[in-house]
Each structure stands twice: as C-alpha cells, then as structure tokens.
Amino acid sequence: MFEHLAEVEQKFIALEQSLMQGEMSSAELQKVTKERADLEPIVESYRLWVDIETALADAAEMCASDDAEMRELAEQESRELLKKQEELKQQLTILLLPKAPNDDRTVILEIRAGTG
C-alpha cells in the first residue's frame, strides 16, 4: 500500500510542477487541477503518516534512554502516535478505494409515501 502512496505523491508533485509551468490550454488546466485536487487529501495523509513514522523512531530512541522520566514520556508519546497512525491507516484505506464513474455527479432523491 505504501509503495503505491509514494507513487501517488510523485504524481502529485509532477502535477504541481506542470501547473507552475502555466503553458497549457484551458481544458488541460482544468483536467490537471481536478486531478491534483483529487490526489491532495491522499498525499496530505501520506505525508502525515511519514511524519508519524519519523516521530515513532525518535520516540523509540528516547525509550532507550537511562532517564526514567524521559522513558515514560517517550512511551506515552509512542502510544499516542500509534493510535493516530491506526486512525490514519483507516483514513488512507478509505481514500485509496477506487472511485465510481458517477461519484462526481449530483443526485436529488425524493422519497414519497405511497399507497399500495
């Protein structure tokens, strides 16, 4: 899953760079902007995941400290980070679900009581 997220991040970066170039037609600009907007929540969540991984590694280092108080703080931080990481994993799983072709379309549904 995370290999795929790294590829999505690279695609996001490429889209941002193409937007900075500014040498595209209106239709291309609209397409690239929409694709970037679709990828943005995924990339933000992935980057947050990477930050949490780094913080967990730092906390693991602090757990090896001789200072008991420092070790206790590091263990508490690790528990909090693991909880956030689990929530983020669920969020990323939902964000990576394939979209249906009609997801972008709006629908008005009216339900009426009937006889019969």
Side-chain angles (χ1 to χ4, degrees), residues 42-100:
I42 298 170
V43 171
E44 286 177 356
S45 296
Y46 173 67
R47 288 177 177 169
L48 185 57
W49 175 276
V50 171
D51 291 344
I52 289 174
E53 284 289 316
T54 304
L56 278 171
D58 293 343
E61 261 183 45
M62 291 190 323
C63 283
S65 174
D66 292 335
D67 186 13
E69 187 177 325
M70 183 67 84
R71 209 176 21 242
E72 183 180 328
L73 288 173
E75 289 171 358
Q76 180 181 1
E77 183 180 357
S78 291
R79 285 190 297 272
E80 291 172 6
L81 288 171
L82 287 172
K83 184 179 176 184
K84 286 181 185 178
Q85 189 179 39
E86 184 61 35
E87 292 171 0
L88 195 57
K89 183 177 181 180
Q90 291 174 356
Q91 180 182 358
L92 281 168
T93 303
I94 291 170
L95 287 171
L96 289 175
L97 289 175
K99 292 186 175 188

Side-chain angles (χ1 to χ4, degrees), residues 14-20 24 26-39:
L15 289 172
E16 284 187 327
Q17 289 174 350
S18 67
L19 283 172
M20 287 183 204
M24 57 181 89
S26 166
E28 290 174 331
L29 179 65
Q30 185 178 15
K31 180 183 172 193
V32 169
T33 304
K34 175 157 178 23
E35 189 173 358
R36 183 196 170 280
D38 289 343
L39 294 178

